[in-house]
């Protein structure tokens, strides 16, 4: 998502650019977690190695997606003075190119096996009813993966066939509703009421995912970012003023998350999980902490990774496919119970290989303007 850094607090602009790629990496780490997404036919005792996996794939990851929504809300409204129908059409038209187009292309890529089945049915028996059902199912998969239909009555998260892109889907829905969001948030009284209701709803943890594309977390954190952008709030000034308090509370919550992990019985073994009662306050204080930390990184040139920011969408979109391929390879060549050391090496590979692959694919994509538009939204 493009931005005019001259219109933002320079420290905030730097923090946003600095955060984009690391946040995408954290999403990879979450999905690479072999505790939550085990490799079929491969087992281990999972003793001490659970702790670094819990830290990287759960605790540090938790604020990543909410922070993505918040940043998107800030950038969407920051340069807006009057948000009328003309401004709305202009914004949506741009986001159709930068978000919706690559979202659809990547989901079509992931849906190729289903589309191949439809093509095979057409060749074999002229399509018919089964072929029609298959192509309709493929179209639905672009928005809502049909094998998750049982989640709808329980208001659980649903994804498209490229699962990580549920964020892009829900973000685009927020942007489609941006005219209503602007009118509600533009008045301070209704802004406070609206965000307070969403915050309380989110804290309850119930009925979070109302329908594919409509979720409480997306509207809450996009709404908070939108309020910052609409009212031009200098959040860096506020964060720096209360920096010690924010960092102190974050440290307490972070240590609480680390040391209060608890075991639940998994399919084959007990699994270490983060403390569910601390997650919400931890996320709320992690977001400003991550922004403050990213701002400080500019002091260390060797840690400056703003150049990788444009690769974040590609990494976000392709890593699930890479992870699936890696797990199939490991599951094929390595079977049964293995030691913790070997399992940790496999986990390390699941962390590193998708990230390097995503960077490589982006470097290839950016050589062509058409490929960059189709697969990376022109970034």
């Amino acid at each position: 998502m493009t931005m005019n850094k001259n219109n933002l607090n320079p420290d905030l602009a730097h923090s946003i650019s600095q955060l984009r790629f690391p946040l995408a990496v954290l999403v990879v780490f979450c999905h690479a977690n072999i505790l939550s997404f085990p490799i079929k036919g491969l087992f281990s005792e999972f003793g001490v190695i659970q702790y670094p996996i819990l830290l990287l794939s759960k605790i540090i990851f938790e604020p990543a997606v909410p922070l993505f929504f918040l940043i998107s809300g800030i950038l969407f409204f920051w340069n807006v003075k009057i948000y009328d129908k003309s401004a709305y059409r202009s914004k949506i038209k741009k986001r159709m190119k930068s978000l919706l187009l690559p979202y659809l292309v990547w989901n079509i890529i992931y849906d190729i096996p289903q589309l191949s089945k439809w093509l095979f049915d057409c060749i074999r028996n002229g399509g018919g009813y089964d072929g029609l059902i298959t192509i309709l199912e493929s179209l639905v998969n672009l928005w809502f993966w049909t094998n998750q239909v049982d989640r709808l009555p329980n208001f659980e998260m649903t994804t498209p066939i490229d699962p990580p892109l549920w964020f892009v889907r829900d973000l685009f829905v927020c942007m489609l509703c941006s005219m209503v969001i602007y009118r509600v948030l533009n008045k301070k009284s209704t802004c406070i009421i609206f965000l307070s209701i969403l915050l309380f709803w989110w804290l309850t943890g119930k009925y979070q995912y109302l329908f594919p594309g409509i979720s409480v977390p997306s509207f809450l954190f996009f709404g908070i970012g939108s309020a910052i952008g609409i009212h031009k709030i200098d959040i860096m000034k506020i964060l720096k003023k209360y920096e010690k308090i924010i960092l102190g509370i974050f440290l307490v919550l972070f240590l609480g998350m680390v040391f209060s992990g608890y075991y639940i019985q998994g399919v084959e073994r007990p699994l270490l999980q983060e403390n569910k009662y601390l997650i919400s306050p931890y996320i709320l204080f992690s977001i400003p902490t991550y922004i403050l930390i990213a701002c400080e990184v500019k002091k260390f040139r060797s840690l400056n990774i703003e150049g990788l920011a444009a690769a974040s969408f590609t990494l976000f979109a392709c890593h699930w496919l890479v992870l699936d391929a890696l797990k199939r390879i490991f599951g094929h060549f390595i079977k049964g119970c293995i030691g913790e050391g070997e399992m940790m090496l496999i986990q390390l590979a699941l962390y590193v290989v998708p990230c390097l692959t995503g960077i490589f694919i982006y470097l290839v994509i950016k050589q062509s303007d058409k490929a960059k538009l189709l697969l990376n939204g022109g970034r």
Side-chain angles (χ1 to χ4, degrees):
M1 191 173 293
T2 59
M3 62 180 174
N4 187 340
K5 293 185 179 182
N6 296 325
N7 293 331
L8 282 170
N9 180 309
D11 288 337
L12 178 60
H14 172 81
S15 293
I16 290 173
S17 296
Q18 194 72 25
L19 279 169
R20 285 169 62 189
F21 186 77
L23 292 179
V25 169
L26 288 180
V27 173
V28 175
F29 284 8
C30 172
H31 296 149
N33 181 356
I34 52 178
L35 302 179
S36 299
F37 304 98
I39 299 173
K40 187 176 180 180
L42 199 56
F43 308 100
S44 178
E45 290 300 320
F46 287 106
V48 70
I49 71 167
Q50 290 194 71
Y51 289 92
I53 296 174
L54 174 71
L55 181 65
L56 292 172
S57 296
K58 289 282 191 176
I59 296 175
I60 297 179
F61 156 76
E62 288 292 354
V65 176
L67 187 47
F68 264 129
F69 280 118
L70 186 139
I71 289 172
S72 299
I74 294 174
L75 299 181
F76 191 82
F77 283 109
W78 190 265
N79 293 324
V80 172
K81 293 183 179 180
I82 299 175
Y83 198 58
D84 53 15
K85 291 182 179 179
S86 176
Y88 174 80
R89 285 194 295 267
S90 176
K91 287 278 188 182
I92 297 303
K93 185 177 179 180
K94 290 179 181 177
R95 290 337 184 259
M96 287 179 71
K97 289 183 178 180
S98 63
L99 289 177
L100 187 60
L101 178 60
Y103 166 88
L104 291 173
V105 171
W106 277 107
N107 275 288
I108 289 172
I109 291 172
Y110 275 65
D111 208 19
I112 285 175
Q114 191 79 358
L115 293 172
S116 300
K117 181 178 181 296
W118 166 73
L119 182 61
F120 177 77
D121 288 342
C122 288
I123 294 173
R124 185 180 61 179
N125 53 25
Y129 179 77
D130 291 339
L132 178 62
I133 292 298
T134 302
I135 194 64
L136 289 175
E137 187 175 333
S138 294
L139 291 173
V140 173
N141 283 341
L142 300 180
W143 193 259
F144 160 59
W145 201 355
T146 51
N147 69 355
Q148 299 172 351
V149 69
D150 59 315
R151 299 183 183 183
L152 292 176
N154 300 319
F155 301 100
E156 297 176 1
M157 179 191 290
T158 61
T159 70
I161 197 167
D162 183 355
L165 291 187
W166 76 269
F167 158 75
V168 177
R169 178 196 66 188
D170 288 28
L171 176 60
F172 190 73
V173 170
C174 288
M175 292 174 174
L176 287 177
C177 299
S178 59
M179 182 66 77
V180 175
I181 290 173
Y182 178 81
R183 290 179 179 177
V184 171
L185 299 183
N186 196 35
K187 295 182 179 180
K188 292 183 180 179
S189 58
T190 53
C191 176
I192 293 171
I193 294 171
F194 177 71
L195 294 180
S196 296
I197 291 171
L198 283 179
L199 177 61
F200 177 78
W201 191 347
W202 176 70
L203 288 172
T204 66
K206 296 180 179 180
Y207 310 111
Q208 297 293 292
Y209 301 93
L210 304 178
F211 191 76
I214 302 175
S215 61
V216 175
S218 62
F219 275 91
L220 170 62
F221 290 101
F222 181 81
I224 293 172
S226 298
I228 293 170
I230 291 168
H231 296 285
K232 308 298 182 285
I233 300 170
D234 189 350
I235 59 169
M236 289 306 300
K237 184 177 180 181
I238 298 171
L239 295 182
K240 288 185 175 182
K241 182 178 180 180
Y242 299 102
E243 182 175 0
K244 292 182 179 179
I245 296 174
I246 292 169
L247 295 179
I249 296 175
F250 165 78
L251 183 60
V252 171
L253 291 170
F254 176 78
L255 293 175
M257 291 281 286
V258 171
F259 291 111
S260 65
Y262 64 97
Y263 284 94
I264 63 170
Q265 188 62 40
V267 177
E268 299 281 346
R269 56 195 177 275
L271 300 177
L272 188 64
Q273 300 289 323
E274 73 271 69
N275 191 311
K276 60 183 179 181
Y277 301 106
L278 291 177
I279 290 177
S280 295
Y282 169 73
I283 289 173
L284 292 177
F285 280 92
S286 295
I287 289 174
T289 299
Y290 281 22
I291 293 173
L292 287 168
I293 292 173
C295 180
E296 292 299 312
V297 168
K298 69 180 179 181
K299 297 177 182 178
F300 307 95
R301 291 186 178 182
S302 60
L303 296 177
N304 193 318
I305 54 173
E306 288 188 58
L308 290 173
S312 58
F313 189 97
T314 303
L315 178 58
F316 209 71
C318 77
H319 76 267
W320 190 271
L321 199 61
V322 180
L323 283 171
D324 183 62
L326 284 174
K327 289 179 179 181
R328 289 175 184 272
I329 292 170
F330 286 132
H332 179 75
F333 290 102
I334 308 172
K335 296 183 183 297
C337 185
I338 63 174
E340 281 192 86
E342 291 88 344
M343 187 60 83
M344 195 65 214
L345 289 175
I346 291 175
Q347 178 65 86
L348 184 62
L350 293 175
Y351 283 154
V352 175
V353 174
C355 294
L356 294 179
T357 304
I359 294 172
F360 175 76
I361 292 174
Y362 169 72
L363 292 176
V364 174
I365 287 172
K366 76 172 189 176
Q367 303 304 315
S368 165
D369 289 340
K370 288 184 178 180
K372 191 163 64 173
L373 175 64
L374 290 172
L375 296 170
N376 210 47
R379 296 169 182 81

